[in-house]
Amino acid sequence: MAEDLFAEAEKAKTEGNAYFKDAKFAKALAAYSKAIELSEDEDDDDGLDSLDSAKPKNPSIQIYYANRAFCHIKMENFGSALSDSNKAIEAKDDFSKGWYRRGTAMMALGRPKDALRDFTQLCRLAPQDKDARDKLKQCQKQVTQERFAMAIGTEKTAPISQTLDMGAMHVDSSYEGPVYKTGACTPEFCKELMAWQRQEKSIAKKYAYQIVLDAIEMLKGVSTLVDIEVPDDGEVTVCGDVHGQYYDLLNIWELNGVPSEDNPYLFNGDFVDRGSFSVEVILILFAWKLAFPRHLNLARGNHETRNMNKLYGFEGEVTKKYDEDLYQLFCEAFCLLPLCHVINKQVFVVHGGLFSKDDVSLDAIRRVNRDCEPPDEGLMTEMLWSDPQPGRGRIPSKRGVGVAFGQDVTENFLETNKLKMVIRSHEMKEEGYEIEHSGKLVTVFSAPNYCDQMGNKGAFIRLDGKTMTPKYTSFNAVPHPNVRAMQYANPMLGQLFGMS
């Protein structure tokens, strides 16, 4: 019987590997879970070996856990990846992939010191592996950088927006692109910038700086929770994650019209990272925001943060296309983005989700200090990171941050604040959107064929001002220049080992 179970488990693992190779991570996850369940059945099958029960009878169990951990990493379920990595290490403490997966999960969770210990152990187990040594060096470098940043952070330095000398920044005489003027950002300029960037051309550095500086000044005047008013005869469009997919963003505007007073938009976070045109995305969004301050709304996502930008590409992209100072300026702007919006006092729109406690009021949200990097816990972090789950109550988040909340949590929040529904983003959906919690919660995701490999559709939602009834539009990805997703990501997230 044990041999039959082992063979079935190996078959499930092989199926998982095939799904993983095709980037079908959810199906791969299910296959690895089946292999693990079969192995656990095998452990329970033979009571005669109880004295040796500490050792799994399936010699591949650590492989199944490590492979499933890798799936979780690809799906950004870092909490679950950490749990599976621990189980792989427990099953076989000299299994190098277990330590690599755990180190990667620790890095993604913003715990580089813990990751450093794991990569150090990895190098002990694989001393001749060049990739392992490279990962250790990268991790050591990040820990050193963070220590330095903490040291200089104690010296009350002024924000970079207050120290820049824009007068010393000049535009090359050969530049033929759009010209930005402070206080005069028009729809015509925005359309010129859209077309210029479509050709893979960068706006002059001085103008890029000035756009972000002006966005910072504008965002200083908004609140943590922004109320949006839509007239009865009007509509508003809500978009989810864009993730640096500039050409798909342009396609949204081709399908649904560019922003205007009569065609307002709310972009619900995760503008940057992963896609390799994040600079173009955030500059055009800031430009439209400057052109229509009340009709182009932007919310912060979990990827508008330093930890995510360091790993998933935005920091590398900005420093490659421009320089470090512009990246620091973007970070300053991100800290000023609102955390959520309420449309017509009926629809709550937030990037991630709801909270670890009941009876959270809109007034409590308004009091949240958003001008910082997200803390380890609290309302701000939960708004950026939480996800819905199909059951009731709350369970630990598969991401390792925030909480997974059920329908009763959604209903309590809506009843407490006399609201109609929640719109959130933060998760890829096959059709670009998904309706949950008996229609009281909707996820919208606007990055089709996510990371050039997921095959999903994107979507946006239109709400009419009179009834706030959602209308959904799904759309496919459009071609983009030959620059792969994650081009600028930290190599720490690269694949160290192949699947087993």
Side-chain angles (χ1 to χ4, degrees):
M1 181 63 178
E3 290 182 0
D4 291 342
L5 286 172
F6 175 69
E8 287 186 49
E10 284 292 290
K11 180 181 177 182
K13 181 202 75 171
T14 300
E15 290 175 353
N17 289 355
Y19 284 131
F20 190 97
K21 185 177 180 182
D22 291 338
K24 298 177 180 177
F25 301 123
K27 291 183 177 180
L29 195 72
Y32 296 137
S33 296
K34 181 179 179 182
I36 290 168
E37 289 166 7
L38 288 166
S39 299
E40 290 172 347
D41 289 344
E42 181 181 333
D43 287 345
D44 294 336
D45 187 55
D46 188 356
L48 296 176
D49 294 331
S50 58
L51 292 177
D52 196 32
S53 60
K55 297 180 180 179
K57 298 175 183 62
N58 188 328
S60 298
I61 186 68
Q62 72 279 359
I63 296 174
Y64 307 158
Y65 277 121
N67 285 4
R68 192 169 75 173
F70 202 3
C71 276
H72 280 305
I73 288 169
K74 289 289 188 180
M75 299 169 74
E76 296 190 26
N77 300 335
F78 302 122
S80 297
L82 190 59
S83 176
D84 277 351
S85 300
N86 285 334
K87 290 174 181 175
I89 292 168
E90 288 169 9
K92 194 173 190 297
D93 63 7
D94 62 349
F95 183 55
S96 55
K97 288 184 185 178
W99 294 96
Y100 171 64
R101 304 291 185 248
R102 194 168 81 171
T104 302
M106 290 292 191
M107 285 295 295
L109 288 167
R111 295 163 59 179
K113 291 180 182 178
D114 292 324
L116 182 60
R117 287 193 288 269
D118 288 338
F119 286 119
T120 298
Q121 177 63 12
L122 172 64
C123 286
R124 293 194 186 105
L125 296 172
Q128 303 304 315
D129 193 297
K130 181 179 181 300
D131 287 334
R133 295 196 305 272
D134 288 344
K135 292 294 181 291
L136 178 61
K137 289 178 182 177
Q138 291 162 13
C139 195
Q140 289 170 331
K141 180 180 178 181
Q142 182 159 336
V143 170
T144 300
Q145 287 174 339
E146 290 197 359
R147 286 173 179 162
F148 178 72
M150 287 182 65
I152 64 174
T154 59
E155 308 170 5
K156 299 288 181 182
T157 55
I160 190 169
S161 62
Q162 297 178 18
T163 61
L164 285 171
D165 181 6
M166 294 300 294
M169 200 176 292
H170 302 287
V171 177
D172 193 282
S173 59
S174 63
Y175 175 71
E176 298 179 344
V179 175
Y180 177 76
K181 295 179 181 179
T182 293
C185 190
T186 64
E188 290 70 30
F189 168 80
C190 294
K191 292 173 185 177
E192 287 181 36
L193 180 58
M194 288 166 60
W196 184 255
Q197 293 185 150
R198 185 192 285 272
Q199 302 172 60
E200 292 186 87
K201 296 179 180 179
S202 296
I203 190 171
K205 185 169 93 168
K206 180 172 183 175
Y207 300 145
Y209 268 73
Q210 198 62 63
I211 288 171
V212 184
L213 281 168
D214 290 352
I216 287 172
E217 288 306 308
M218 178 172 289
L219 291 170
K220 286 178 180 178
V222 303
S223 57
T224 296
L225 184 156
V226 173
D227 290 290
I228 298 174
E229 295 183 6
V230 182
D232 285 354
D233 60 351
E235 290 187 321
V236 62
T237 301
V238 181
C239 298
D241 304 38
V242 176
H243 274 303
Q245 297 185 198
Y246 180 67
Y247 295 84
D248 293 308
L249 172 61
L250 296 184
N251 186 46
I252 290 173
W253 288 328
E254 289 177 7
L255 294 171
N256 195 57
V258 295
S260 70
E261 291 183 359
D262 296 324
N263 192 30
Y265 279 84
L266 165 54
F267 285 88
N268 197 30
D270 280 11
F271 320 121
V272 302
D273 279 341
R274 289 193 173 272
S276 295
F277 302 94
S278 293
V279 169
E280 290 79 3
V281 165
I282 192 60
L283 283 175
I284 193 59
L285 287 175
F286 277 172
W288 279 115
K289 175 67 177 174
L290 292 165
F292 294 109
R294 293 191 301 109
H295 299 90
L296 193 289
N297 289 282
L298 304 173
R300 192 176 190 178
N302 65 301
H303 277 266
E304 277 72 56
T305 57
R306 288 180 183 271
N307 280 344
M308 291 292 102
N309 295 163
K310 188 173 291 292
L311 290 171
Y312 287 96
F314 185 59
E315 180 181 23
E317 182 182 342
V318 179
T319 53
K320 177 73 172 179
K321 293 179 178 179
Y322 288 98
D323 55 29
E324 174 68 21
D325 282 350
L326 183 59
Y327 171 67
Q328 296 301 331
L329 206 59
F330 275 121
C331 291
E332 191 176 332
F334 290 164
C335 287
L336 295 169
L337 288 166
L339 299 180
C340 55
H341 295 74
V342 174
I343 306 175
N344 280 13
K345 300 181 180 179
Q346 295 183 64
V347 178
F348 181 73
V349 188
V350 66
H351 178 72
L354 300 180
F355 309 100
S356 58
K357 60 183 181 181
D358 284 338
D359 303 325
V360 174
S361 69
L362 296 183
D363 284 340
I365 295 171
R366 288 187 177 96
R367 292 192 294 270
V368 172
N369 174 25
R370 72 187 188 283
D371 190 6
C372 61
E373 292 299 315
D376 292 336
E377 58 186 10
L379 298 185
M380 177 182 186
T381 299
E382 289 163 1
M383 283 188 277
L384 295 177
W385 280 95
S386 291
D387 298 289
Q389 54 103 357
R392 298 183 69 80
R394 299 171 175 88
I395 59 176
S397 171
K398 60 192 177 184
R399 299 178 189 268
V401 187
V403 66
F405 59 96
Q407 180 171 328
D408 54 327
V409 177
T410 298
E411 290 171 345
N412 171 270
F413 178 77
L414 294 175
E415 183 178 348
T416 296
N417 296 288
K418 297 180 173 56
L419 297 166
K420 177 179 177 179
M421 70 181 296
V422 174
I423 295 177
R424 45 87 62 178
S425 303
H426 196 38
E427 290 182 286
M428 186 205 77
K429 300 298 179 182
E430 288 299 321
E431 294 299 314
Y433 71 96
E434 184 173 80
I435 303 168
E436 301 174 76
H437 294 180
S438 300
K440 294 177 181 178
L441 182 143
V442 177
T443 297
V444 59
F445 190 85
S446 302
N449 194 26
Y450 184 37
C451 289
D452 293 339
Q453 64 180 13
M454 301 304 289
N456 62 292
K457 293 181 180 179
F460 54 81
I461 303 173
R462 285 182 71 90
L463 300 157
D464 69 275
K466 187 172 184 179
T467 69
M468 287 284 103
T469 301
K471 294 184 294 185
Y472 305 98
T473 299
S474 295
F475 57 92
N476 293 313
V478 296
H480 65 73
N482 188 27
V483 182
R484 63 180 177 85
M486 301 287 281
Q487 174 72 37
Y488 302 99
N490 190 314
M492 186 65 69
L493 292 185
Q495 183 174 341
L496 180 57
F497 300 107
M499 302 303 291
S500 298

